[in-house]
Amino acid sequence: MIALLKIYKRNIQKDGNTSEAVGAQPYAIYNDGKLQELDESDLISIFPNTGKIFIAESYQPPQKEVFRFHELIEFKTYDVSRPSSCKYFLGKEVFNLKFFEVIDLDETIAKDRHQIVELLSKGISIPFVVSNHVIFRTADDYLVGPLQMEFINGLYRCKEQDFIQYYQQEIDITAILDKNQERLFCMNQLDSENLIGSIDVANEQRVISDALKQLKDNTDLAELSRKMIARLKEWYDSDKAQGPHLQERLQRAIHIMQGHTLKEEEITLFTELVLELDVTKTIIEQRVQQSFEDKYDNFLKVNAKLVKENNARMLELDKIKSAYINESKALETIKNQYSEIQKTMHNKIEHLQSNFASVYAEQMALSNLPIQPMAAIPVPNSAQLGFAQFQSILGKSLSSVSDFSNLLNGNLSIFKGNDEKGTLAATILTAVILREPIIIFGDSSFELAKCIVKTIACEQMVTVIPEIETFTLNQLNQQYTQFTRNEAVKALVIHNPHTTAALYSLPAYFKQNKWVDEVMPDLTFITIDSLDEALAFIEKMPYAPLINSMDYMSRFMNRRNFRALQPGQLMLEQIEGSVVEEDSISIRREFREWIEDYKGLGVEIPYQLVEWLNQLSSFISDDEIFEWCYTVFKNAINIHQNDVVGVDV
């Protein structure tokens, strides 16, 4: 028995696992060249018990459900008494029987030809999976096809990209109900004797492309045909064409050629209309682009040596541009520094001139010599250092460096900051041991310094805000006489010294003070509001740690929260136990290797940082030391600009 079946994919459960298998649903029986539809009673009588068809596990399920003709072979062991027993099993597919699925259209060939072309070429919505071969039946009973359809973006489109035929002929339709959807099938072959015409379902791009080709191929021929027609007419009218048969043949040839020759105005109109279409413009642009790319590729092949030289010149030009930009930036920096130096020197000269006038007048008076008239030079009433304040606040006596670190963390929390890793506290203690200054920058630099000195040296604090014109190192040195306790940590805060003559004198002053045994501050903070304005000053002190105040203060200090700070005083003897006596130079190499491994940079570590690295190691771990020192001593680390570690060039 041969039946029309729908073959589909289904899931089965076996031993707790889900797998794919094949299902087969019979819809019609093939008999004597016709399809006999199976209704519900037929299904029960022909396929009793389960109503199912047995399918071997080796049968591969299709990607989509399909209708096929298959042989159904009756089981010899079929047992009607067992409900699970199948009467038939699925045999081989029958290929020599062809059938078509018929789909009805609401359009007619006579009136809606253009709409039919649009549906077939651009896509039609069909609510089920169509069979492999389809015939469309129009509303005026024309049969279009057979066709093969492809499913793209939710629509079925005709695979053919050329002309398809349509017929007018009677066919036998078999209607079946599949999932509440009526499906129509027929087995009739369309006879060429019933062929009526063709429909062009090529896409727009192909239509225009072929039209352009025909125009190109026939323009010259049309011109030639018009010339031939004119010559034939001349020959026909002359007395050279003798005999009635020859004249009749010439007249017919002229008529045929006139019927198949494009007129010049028709060619012009066709060209104008076609060239205005968007699809035509797209085709022309694509061909122009393709032609350009082909010519360009050929040019590159022919001139490979020239192209290589050009690329080398372009790379060299990029390097020159980069060098020019770097030199321009360096020149701008030098100009800015020169302007600052000029301004400072001008102020210094005015200061020296005023001092000279005072001393000259005093000496002339003592010598009883007549004073010659002099130019009016402004003389200051008194040369003051600027604003200077000594503070001594009774506070908590800190018995260890841990007490200081904890108190610092608590005070920073008032400003929503913290020093949980202890790197800031370790840097402050190391600065006391090495008697090296610390630079703090940012809008809250002065406030952060005041917070720190109130935490570690509340009883011995000096704050200096120097005057631009009157700052001197001697007067700064005189401030130290206010320190009263040699055994306690003594702190000094100098704010914005780069705006005064201290720009040049203060770096050397701190270097000299490191070796003086007189009463000096043990901890010095240089606070700077604007980092950009103090670059010249910072470059003169590259080995001083550079700390950003915004890393520790998120809230601005005012009088109320400054008073909330817990004052503390640390004694020098509490720090002596943390002094590292021997400086190991190996830590310098370890620091360089850490930067190469974690930052990917080739660097040189100056020997001046060895003391800092060794001393910090007594307070914090190596990894924290290296990360911290890479941040605060970046000005001192010499980075090799063209040496990037771990990158293949």
Side-chain angles (χ1 to χ4, degrees):
M1 181 172 61
I2 298 176
L4 178 64
L5 309 174
K6 183 174 78 171
I7 309 297
Y8 58 92
K9 187 189 300 183
R10 63 189 178 92
N11 295 326
I12 60 173
Q13 297 285 339
K14 187 176 183 181
D15 299 330
N17 298 320
T18 302
S19 60
E20 293 182 345
V22 182
Q25 174 66 39
Y27 280 95
I29 301 297
Y30 174 77
N31 186 20
D32 195 20
K34 294 184 179 181
L35 284 176
Q36 177 186 348
E37 179 188 0
L38 298 175
D39 57 22
E40 192 170 342
S41 60
D42 293 331
L43 288 173
I44 295 174
S45 61
I46 299 175
F47 304 96
N49 292 352
T50 63
K52 295 181 179 179
I53 299 170
F54 178 80
I55 303 174
E57 291 184 1
S58 60
Y59 194 101
Q60 292 296 320
Q63 294 298 320
K64 64 175 184 177
E65 60 182 42
V66 293
F67 282 87
R68 292 174 180 170
F69 280 115
H70 273 270
E71 290 183 353
L72 297 182
I73 303 172
E74 187 172 353
F75 271 115
K76 294 182 180 180
T77 59
Y78 168 66
D79 186 357
V80 69
S81 64
R82 286 192 302 113
S84 60
S85 178
C86 296
K87 186 174 182 180
Y88 295 97
F89 67 88
L90 188 69
K92 63 183 179 179
E93 183 179 356
V94 179
F95 293 99
N96 60 349
L97 294 179
K98 290 187 178 181
F99 69 97
F100 306 100
E101 182 162 8
V102 180
I103 298 175
D104 285 332
L105 296 176
D106 295 332
E107 290 77 16
T108 65
I109 288 288
K111 296 181 180 180
D112 308 310
R113 187 188 188 96
H114 178 70
Q115 287 88 330
I116 294 174
V117 170
E118 290 284 310
L119 289 172
L120 297 181
S121 61
K122 294 186 177 181
I124 180 174
S125 177
I126 301 175
F128 48 82
V129 180
V130 301
S131 301
N132 291 334
H133 299 281
V134 177
I135 292 175
F136 287 95
R137 182 168 61 178
T138 65
D140 48 358
D141 289 329
Y142 286 101
L143 304 177
V144 180
L147 308 172
Q148 285 188 308
M149 308 298 287
E150 56 183 351
F151 189 71
I152 301 175
N153 297 329
L155 297 174
Y156 281 98
R157 295 181 184 177
C158 178
K159 283 187 177 182
E160 283 76 2
Q161 292 293 325
D162 209 339
F163 292 93
I164 56 174
Q165 287 75 38
Y166 63 92
Y167 303 79
Q168 194 168 39
Q169 129 180 12
E170 295 291 332
I171 56 174
D172 297 323
I173 298 290
T174 300
I176 63 175
L177 192 64
D178 176 35
K179 297 180 181 179
N180 296 323
Q181 179 72 47
E182 187 180 54
R183 307 282 293 271
L184 306 178
F185 294 91
C186 77
M187 297 192 63
N188 303 81
Q189 300 299 316
L190 299 181
D191 194 339
S192 59
E193 293 182 357
N194 300 319
L195 176 65
I196 302 300
S198 299
I199 297 176
D200 186 3
V201 295
N203 59 43
E204 293 179 352
Q205 185 170 350
R206 178 169 179 177
V207 170
I208 300 300
S209 180
D210 286 350
L212 290 173
K213 184 176 184 300
Q214 293 297 327
L215 179 62
K216 177 183 175 183
D217 293 344
N218 292 297
T219 299
D220 294 339
L221 179 60
E223 183 65 26
L224 179 62
S225 298
R226 284 191 291 271
K227 292 181 180 179
M228 291 177 65
I229 291 170
R231 294 294 300 276
L232 287 172
K233 284 183 176 180
E234 291 178 3
W235 190 14
Y236 178 79
D237 294 335
S238 68
D239 54 359
K240 296 179 181 179
Q242 300 295 327
H245 294 291
L246 179 58
Q247 289 184 347
E248 183 180 352
R249 179 62 55 85
L250 287 175
Q251 184 64 31
R252 185 179 177 189
I254 292 171
H255 177 74
I256 292 172
M257 294 185 69
Q258 285 178 333
H260 291 80
T261 302
L262 291 173
K263 297 180 181 179
E264 191 169 357
E265 56 270 19
E266 291 174 343
I267 294 175
T268 302
L269 177 62
F270 177 78
T271 303
E272 290 176 353
L273 292 175
V274 169
L275 292 178
E276 286 300 318
L277 294 175
D278 290 338
V279 66
T280 307
K281 295 177 181 178
T282 301
I283 294 172
I284 293 173
E285 289 174 1
Q286 290 175 349
R287 292 186 178 179
V288 169
Q289 181 65 25
Q290 185 62 46
S291 178
F292 169 77
E293 291 175 358
D294 293 342
K295 296 290 184 183
Y296 183 70
D297 291 341
N298 184 60
F299 172 80
L300 294 180
K301 291 178 182 178
V302 174
N303 301 279
K305 184 177 180 181
L306 181 61
V307 171
K308 186 176 180 181
E309 291 178 358
N310 180 66
N311 291 337
R313 293 288 187 272
M314 293 297 292
L315 290 174
E316 187 177 351
L317 180 60
D318 289 341
K319 290 180 180 179
I320 293 173
K321 287 181 179 178
S322 178
Y324 172 75
I325 292 172
N326 293 334
E327 292 294 335
S328 298
K329 290 180 179 178
L331 180 60
E332 189 65 27
T333 302
I334 293 171
K335 286 181 179 179
N336 293 335
Q337 292 176 353
Y338 176 71
S339 297
E340 291 181 6
I341 293 171
Q342 273 190 322
K343 182 179 178 181
T344 304
M345 292 301 296
H346 177 72
N347 294 334
K348 190 66 176 177
I349 289 170
E350 287 186 349
H351 178 66
L352 292 174
Q353 284 176 339
S354 63
N355 286 346
F356 173 76
S358 300
V359 173
Y360 179 75
E362 291 173 3
Q363 293 297 323
M364 294 294 284
L366 292 172
S367 304
N368 295 319
L369 295 174
I371 301 176
Q372 299 295 327
M374 297 178 59
I377 300 176
V379 180
N381 294 328
S382 60
Q384 296 294 328
L385 171 67
F387 174 82
Q389 182 184 43
F390 174 78
Q391 287 180 291
S392 180
I393 304 171
L394 189 62
K396 179 181 179 181
S397 179
L398 303 175
S399 59
S400 66
V401 294
S402 297
D403 286 349
F404 162 65
S405 180
N406 294 333
L407 184 60
L408 178 63
N409 235 337
N411 282 340
L412 288 174
S413 67
I414 296 174
F415 308 100
K416 295 186 178 180
N418 68 78
D419 183 35
E420 293 179 351
K421 294 184 178 180
T423 50
L424 179 60
T427 304
I428 294 167
L429 295 170
T430 300
V432 173
I433 294 171
L434 302 179
R435 298 188 75 176
E436 293 283 4
I438 296 174
I439 300 175
I440 304 177
F441 68 91
D443 292 338
S444 301
S445 59
F446 186 71
E447 288 79 2
L448 178 59
K450 293 287 285 183
C451 173
I452 295 171
V453 298
K454 189 173 181 180
T455 305
I456 195 172
C458 66
E459 299 177 12
Q460 301 288 300
M461 298 182 290
V462 172
T463 303
V464 175
I465 303 178
E467 291 286 352
I468 293 176
E469 298 180 357
T470 60
F471 176 83
T472 66
L473 295 178
N474 286 332
Q475 291 168 347
L476 175 63
N477 212 54
Q478 289 174 9
Q479 298 299 318
Y480 305 157
T481 60
Q482 301 180 80
F483 291 131
T484 58
R485 299 183 62 186
N486 289 342
E487 74 279 7
V489 173
K490 300 170 285 297
L492 169 67
V493 179
I494 305 177
H495 187 58
N496 283 340
H498 62 283
T499 61
T500 72
L503 171 65
Y504 303 101
S505 58
L506 207 57
Y509 175 77
F510 285 123
K511 186 175 183 181
Q512 181 264 346
N513 280 349
K514 184 179 179 181
W515 312 107
V516 174
D517 293 331
E518 300 173 359
V519 178
M520 300 289 292
D522 303 296
L523 178 62
T524 302
F525 288 102
I526 300 171
T527 59
I528 293 170
D529 290 335
S530 174
L531 186 65
D532 293 336
E533 294 176 3
L535 292 177
F537 179 81
I538 292 172
E539 288 176 358
K540 298 178 187 300
M541 302 183 67
Y543 309 117
L546 192 61
I547 297 173
N548 188 348
S549 62
M550 299 309 295
D551 292 339
Y552 297 96
M553 298 190 74
S554 300
R555 177 188 293 170
F556 191 76
M557 181 183 289
N558 53 41
R559 180 173 295 183
R560 181 173 57 82
N561 54 33
F562 181 73
R563 288 176 178 174
L565 294 174
Q566 178 68 38
Q569 179 63 60
L570 185 66
M571 298 299 163
L572 291 173
E573 65 178 358
Q574 305 299 337
I575 307 176
E576 291 175 356
S578 302
V579 176
V580 176
E581 298 295 341
E582 295 184 4
D583 291 337
S584 172
I585 62 173
S586 63
I587 199 169
R588 182 184 178 194
R589 182 187 68 254
E590 293 169 2
F591 185 31
R592 185 188 71 246
E593 292 173 350
W594 182 90
I595 295 175
E596 291 175 350
D597 292 340
Y598 289 92
K599 304 299 180 181
L601 298 172
V603 297
E604 289 182 7
I605 308 300
Y607 70 90
Q608 289 88 344
L609 297 186
V610 172
E611 281 187 320
W612 277 100
L613 292 167
N614 279 288
Q615 191 58 56
L616 285 168
S617 66
S618 66
F619 298 111
I620 51 180
S621 65
D622 284 352
D623 286 342
E624 290 176 347
I625 291 172
F626 295 155
E627 185 69 46
W628 173 253
C629 289
Y630 178 77
T631 301
V632 299
F633 289 112
K634 190 167 288 186
N635 284 344
I637 299 172
N638 183 17
I639 299 176
H640 299 166
Q641 296 296 331
N642 297 323
D643 186 9
V644 180
V645 178
V647 179
D648 294 333
V649 180

